[in-house]
Amino acid sequence: LQGVQHPNFKVTVGSDLWCSRERLRKRNIPDSSIETIGLPIRTDFFVTKDKESIRSEYGIPKSKPVVLVMIGGAGGEKALQYAKKIGSTQFGIHLIVCAGKNKELAKGLHALPLHPTNSMTVMEFTTRISDLMAVSDLLVTKSGPGTIAEAMIMKLPILVDATSTILNWEQA
């Protein structure tokens, strides 16, 4: 990036954080070439959702609050730990735990004993994360900027897991 002289050169950042701007300045990128554009959010996060229909489709009881656990590909063990602890405690909730393409995680989740007041949906890979967020009351996740931004758009309260090493680009 150093020495780029094109008149239309821009470095785009998702958020105007002092640490990002400072790193770019150290690389001799002028402020006029740094543009904050926000994080890309899929359009389905802006569509009004029929929550009752989604709950019915996934078999989520109408009377239970929903906790969505979505830790990401590297967080399979953390997702299992959260599901085990939350699921075994008398909360009267419905858990949705995203396993993605991790078949071992899905298998482990299906084997978990739940407290009789709780229920759980094990969600393998899906493109319908906005629907899951729409019917949820709390998201448990790691500090990935995409998921955090999506949850903020959905006005979904977030519990950010910081119990293990946070990736460098997610520390902010």
Side-chain angles (χ1 to χ4, degrees), residues 41-115:
I41 306 290
R42 294 186 307 263
T43 55
D44 55 314
F45 283 88
F46 297 98
V47 175
T48 302
K49 306 290 183 179
D50 181 348
K51 295 178 184 183
E52 286 185 32
S53 174
I54 296 167
R55 277 181 172 260
S56 176
E57 181 180 347
Y58 286 109
I60 300 169
K62 292 180 182 182
S63 61
K64 291 184 178 180
V66 177
V67 175
L68 175 61
V69 178
M70 193 165 62
I71 305 287
E77 184 58 35
K78 279 287 174 197
L80 188 62
Q81 288 173 9
Y82 274 106
K84 183 177 183 180
K85 186 66 173 175
I86 295 169
S88 66
T89 306
Q90 183 180 347
F91 284 134
I93 61 162
H94 184 82
L95 273 170
I96 301 173
V97 185
C98 292
K101 296 178 182 178
N102 187 334
K103 300 291 184 190
E104 286 299 311
L105 173 58
K107 183 179 174 184
L109 290 166
H110 283 295
L112 284 180
L114 298 175
H115 188 277

Side-chain angles (χ1 to χ4, degrees), residues 3-4 15-16 18-19 23-24 39 58 63 70 93-94 96 110 114 117 121 140 147 157 159 166 171:
V4 176
S15 181
D16 191 10
W18 69 269
C19 53
R23 282 184 177 175
L24 292 169
L39 293 170
Y58 286 109
S63 61
M70 193 165 62
I93 61 162
H94 184 82
I96 301 173
H110 283 295
L114 298 175
T117 63
T121 299
V140 178
T147 302
L159 183 131
I166 297 173
Q171 287 182 3

Side-chain angles (χ1 to χ4, degrees), residues 51 65-70 132-142 147-161:
K51 295 178 184 183
V66 177
V67 175
L68 175 61
V69 178
M70 193 165 62
L132 300 179
M133 286 187 176
V135 298
S136 296
D137 298 290
L138 175 68
L139 170 65
V140 178
T141 190
K142 64 180 186 60
T147 302
I148 298 291
E150 291 166 348
M152 289 171 63
I153 291 295
M154 301 296 289
K155 296 180 172 60
L156 177 60
I158 309 164
L159 183 131
V160 178
D161 174 77

